[in-house]
């Protein structure tokens, strides 16, 4: 049997990108998808775009929220799939056959993950993320940075705990680490599974996001190891920027 995948998209005032994101989900060849869309009471025409496809949505909620992760928790609380995937407005599932290919990789894994391709605001490819997905992923794999984006990880719903609202910009890191700690089988798909639009909230609030990440990594890896790891993170970032003149985080 095909496992049921709950894809959750959150959006607020993003009329420019929401349709592209929605179509990347709705045009999947994989049939057993529950598509949940959480809108933060948009006022820019975003809801008009969503209503065009409302009959193809499993759930649609439009109401004010307390931020990105509160909205993601709303979606998670009503998801009924065997797995969950967060594909926020502006991002895309990589191709129409991606979901089918992910689940063909192995049967009944706790987590599936893959690579992410980065795109700018003109939807021009910036190439692969600076942090390549590790060959073998576990909860300690983030010690040198977030090597898997949340758009590129399929998590068994039974392992998907609510996002910690203590974190405003980097709660997805904490969420993935917690899921990985409880997972017994994690599968690398060895393929691109997501397209990511750069310049989200974590970029606009970059310093606050970095501080949160440091707190999260310290919680799981310890202060001294985290300080040492950040030396390597800084060196790798500098080397990448010198070569490419961008960070591709």
């Amino acid at each position: 049997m095909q496992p049921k995948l709950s894809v959750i998209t959150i959006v607020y005032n993003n009329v420019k990108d929401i349709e592209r994101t929605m179509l990347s989900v709705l045009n999947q060849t994989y049939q057993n998808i529950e598509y949940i869309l959480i809108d933060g009471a948009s006022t820019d025409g975003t809801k008009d775009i969503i209503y065009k496809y409302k009959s193809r949505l499993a759930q649609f909620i439009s109401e004010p929220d307390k931020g990105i992760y509160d909205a993601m928790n709303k979606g998670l609380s009503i998801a009924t799939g065997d797995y969950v995937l967060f594909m926020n407005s502006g991002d895309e599932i990589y191709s129409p056959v991606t979901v089918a290919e992910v689940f063909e990789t192995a049967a009944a894994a706790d987590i599936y993950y893959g690579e992410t391709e980065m795109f700018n605001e003109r939807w021009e490819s910036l190439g692969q993320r600076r942090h390549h997905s590790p060959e073998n992923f576990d909860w300690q794999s983030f010690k040198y940075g977030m090597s898997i984006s949340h758009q590129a990880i399929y998590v068994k719903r039974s392992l998907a705990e609510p996002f910690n609202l203590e974190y405003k910009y980097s709660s997805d890191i904490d969420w993935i680490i917690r899921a990985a700690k409880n997972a017994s089988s994690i599968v690398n798909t060895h393929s691109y599974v997501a397209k990511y639009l750069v310049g989200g909230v974590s970029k606009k609030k970059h310093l606050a996001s970095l501080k949160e990440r440091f707190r999260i990594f310290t919680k799981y890896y310890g202060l001294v190891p985290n300080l040492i790891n950040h030396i390597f993170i800084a060196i790798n970032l500098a080397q990448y920027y010198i070569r490419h003149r961008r960070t591709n985080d």
Side-chain angles (χ1 to χ4, degrees):
M1 292 181 62
Q2 290 185 323
K4 182 178 181 179
L5 174 66
S6 295
V7 180
I8 301 167
T9 291
I10 66 164
V11 60
Y12 177 66
N13 283 350
N14 191 12
V15 67
K16 175 176 175 286
D17 299 307
I18 184 61
E19 186 168 35
R20 177 170 51 74
T21 297
M22 292 180 69
L23 289 176
S24 82
V25 179
L26 296 172
N27 289 339
Q28 287 296 304
T29 60
Y30 193 82
Q31 295 299 304
N32 202 6
I33 292 178
E34 170 187 67
Y35 195 16
I36 298 169
L37 208 144
I38 309 296
D39 172 64
S42 293
T43 57
D44 68 339
T46 293
K47 287 190 288 187
D48 295 331
I49 300 295
I50 295 169
Y51 278 124
K52 288 169 55 178
Y53 305 97
K54 191 173 183 296
S55 64
R56 301 174 66 185
L57 302 176
Q59 297 275 357
F60 172 47
I61 296 174
S62 182
E63 63 185 19
D65 54 56
K66 299 174 183 177
I68 292 173
Y69 299 111
D70 178 49
M72 291 168 83
N73 278 343
K74 288 181 184 180
L76 190 59
S77 70
I78 59 177
T80 64
D82 301 297
Y83 294 86
V84 293
L85 171 67
F86 287 92
M87 192 58 54
N88 295 339
S89 182
D91 305 326
E92 293 184 14
I93 298 178
Y94 195 77
S95 80
V97 298
T98 293
V99 175
E101 291 178 344
V102 166
F103 287 126
E104 287 171 359
T105 308
D110 287 337
I111 292 174
Y112 299 87
Y113 69 97
E115 296 286 0
T116 302
E117 186 174 356
M118 312 289 280
F119 287 78
N120 63 20
E121 291 183 353
R122 296 183 297 277
W123 206 241
E124 298 165 335
S125 176
L126 302 174
Q128 189 177 33
R129 289 185 75 228
R130 177 170 60 87
H131 295 292
H132 292 188
S133 296
E135 178 64 26
N136 298 295
F137 175 71
D138 62 24
W139 70 273
Q140 299 189 66
S141 296
F142 279 6
K143 63 184 179 181
Y144 296 121
M146 189 179 180
S147 54
I148 303 172
S149 64
H150 74 248
Q151 298 87 351
I153 188 165
Y154 295 54
V155 176
K156 188 170 283 187
R157 188 169 59 88
S158 59
L159 301 179
E161 300 173 353
F163 289 86
N164 186 343
L165 300 186
E166 174 187 352
Y167 307 118
K168 297 182 182 300
Y169 312 112
S170 301
S171 192
D172 49 335
I173 295 176
D174 173 75
W175 183 78
I176 292 174
I177 292 175
R178 282 187 283 134
K181 286 191 78 169
N182 293 322
S184 58
S185 59
I186 301 178
V187 171
N188 186 348
T189 64
H190 294 103
S191 62
Y192 281 94
V193 298
K195 297 178 181 179
Y196 174 75
L197 177 64
V198 301
V201 172
S202 63
K203 279 295 182 186
K204 294 173 183 175
K205 302 286 187 178
H206 193 52
L207 182 58
S209 175
L210 290 176
K211 289 180 178 179
E212 273 195 0
R213 290 184 182 205
F214 190 87
R215 286 171 54 203
I216 293 167
F217 290 153
T218 296
K219 179 173 74 171
Y220 289 106
Y221 307 135
L223 176 59
V224 173
N226 191 29
L227 287 169
I228 295 171
N229 292 341
H230 269 73
I231 295 173
F232 292 100
I233 291 172
I235 292 171
N236 290 335
L237 175 60
Q239 290 176 336
Y240 188 94
Y241 186 81
I242 290 170
R243 291 196 305 269
H244 303 281
R245 309 309 297 176
R246 59 175 181 261
T247 60
N248 262 26
D249 287 323

